[in-house]
Amino acid sequence: QVQLVESGGGLVQPGGSLRLSCAASGRIYRINDMGWYRQAPGKEREYVATITRGGSTNYADSVKGRFTISRDNAKNTVYLQMASLKPEDTAVYYCKADIVHGTTWWPEGESSYWGQGTQVTVSS
């Protein structure tokens, strides 16, 4: 019923910046919390950042001061601005959204949705 499409991944040098986007579409009544997670080769998926519908944010200690999460409720989109990138930031980044699906005027139920993932590689 809902799809999350990610964009913005790619190859960047250490110290560089990258901006990820994740847009939700489909039968959406309201989007509650949204967030970003990442998974490096051979490791478990880990938490990066979250943002509530009202704009309250939270970050993993490893990215505080370097990453900024934001959202545009009118566009059903969440962003992750990444700066001062390090090789250890290399991973597949996944967006997540807690979504109440339904029509614009009538809610039907709530579920968590995941994006397909976008590769971020930090290397010289």
Side-chain angles (χ1 to χ4, degrees), residues 6-10 20-21 36 91-94 116-120:
E6 300 164 319
S7 62
L20 306 182
S21 299
W36 291 93
V92 176
Y93 283 70
Y94 299 89
Q116 189 174 0
T118 184
Q119 177 70 48
V120 173

Side-chain angles (χ1 to χ4, degrees), residues 50-79:
T50 52
I51 184 169
T52 69
R53 180 173 178 81
S56 297
T57 60
N58 217 326
Y59 299 90
D61 289 341
S62 60
V63 305
K64 286 182 179 178
R66 300 188 299 119
F67 290 11
T68 302
I69 187 171
S70 61
R71 65 189 289 171
D72 186 334
N73 291 338
K75 297 181 179 179
N76 292 332
T77 300
V78 62
Y79 306 93

Side-chain angles (χ1 to χ4, degrees), residues 3-120:
Q3 294 181 334
L4 271 58
V5 180
E6 300 164 319
S7 62
L11 176 65
V12 64
Q13 294 183 330
S17 299
L18 211 58
R19 190 195 193 204
L20 306 182
S21 299
C22 177
S25 62
R27 303 182 72 253
I28 299 172
Y29 173 79
R30 184 181 67 236
I31 303 179
N32 293 323
D33 293 355
M34 305 183 81
W36 291 93
Y37 297 74
R38 66 187 183 186
Q39 187 168 20
K43 292 190 174 183
E44 296 183 2
R45 188 172 301 185
E46 67 174 356
Y47 165 82
V48 175
T50 52
I51 184 169
T52 69
R53 180 173 178 81
S56 297
T57 60
N58 217 326
Y59 299 90
D61 289 341
S62 60
V63 305
K64 286 182 179 178
R66 300 188 299 119
F67 290 11
T68 302
I69 187 171
S70 61
R71 65 189 289 171
D72 186 334
N73 291 338
K75 297 181 179 179
N76 292 332
T77 300
V78 62
Y79 306 93
L80 185 67
Q81 179 66 52
M82 303 181 292
S84 301
L85 284 164
K86 307 174 182 179
E88 48 263 46
D89 294 319
T90 296
V92 176
Y93 283 70
Y94 299 89
C95 65
K96 180 186 177 184
D98 299 327
I99 297 176
V100 179
H101 50 85
T103 69
T104 304
W105 305 276
W106 191 256
E108 297 174 356
E110 183 174 8
S111 298
S112 294
Y113 295 87
W114 289 88
Q116 189 174 0
T118 184
Q119 177 70 48
V120 173

